[in-house]
Amino acid sequence: MVSQAHKNATKTYRAKSLKNMSLTFSQHDTESYAALCELEKVYGSASGAIKAALIAHAKSLKS
C-alpha cells in the first residue's frame, strides 16, 4: 500500500519535471545521428549534448 505522503511526493516530482523525452533516429537520418555522436564527445552524454544544442539554437534565434 502506498502512503498518501508518497503519492503527494510523486505528484510534486512529476509536476516539477518539465519534459521526459525519447529520441529515435531512423536508418535514413544518419546526418543527425553523426552530429549527436560528435556533440557527445564534447558534452559527455547524449542528454548533455541535446540540452546544449537546444540552448545554443534558442539563443541564436533571439539574436
Side-chain angles (χ1 to χ4, degrees):
M1 179 176 236
V2 178
S3 71
Q4 188 61 38
H6 184 267
K7 288 179 185 178
N8 289 342
T10 301
K11 184 178 176 182
T12 300
Y13 173 79
R14 288 183 179 152
K16 289 181 180 180
S17 176
L18 297 176
K19 294 273 183 189
N20 277 327
M21 301 179 81
S22 174
L23 182 62
T24 304
F25 293 99
S26 76
Q27 61 188 11
H28 304 290
D29 199 4
T30 57
E31 184 179 15
S32 295
Y33 181 73
L36 177 60
C37 290
E38 289 300 312
L39 289 170
E40 279 183 299
K41 292 176 188 175
V42 174
Y43 293 102
S45 68
S47 62
I50 292 167
K51 289 174 190 177
L54 287 170
I55 291 167
H57 184 68
K59 286 180 181 177
S60 75
L61 293 175
K62 291 179 182 178
S63 355

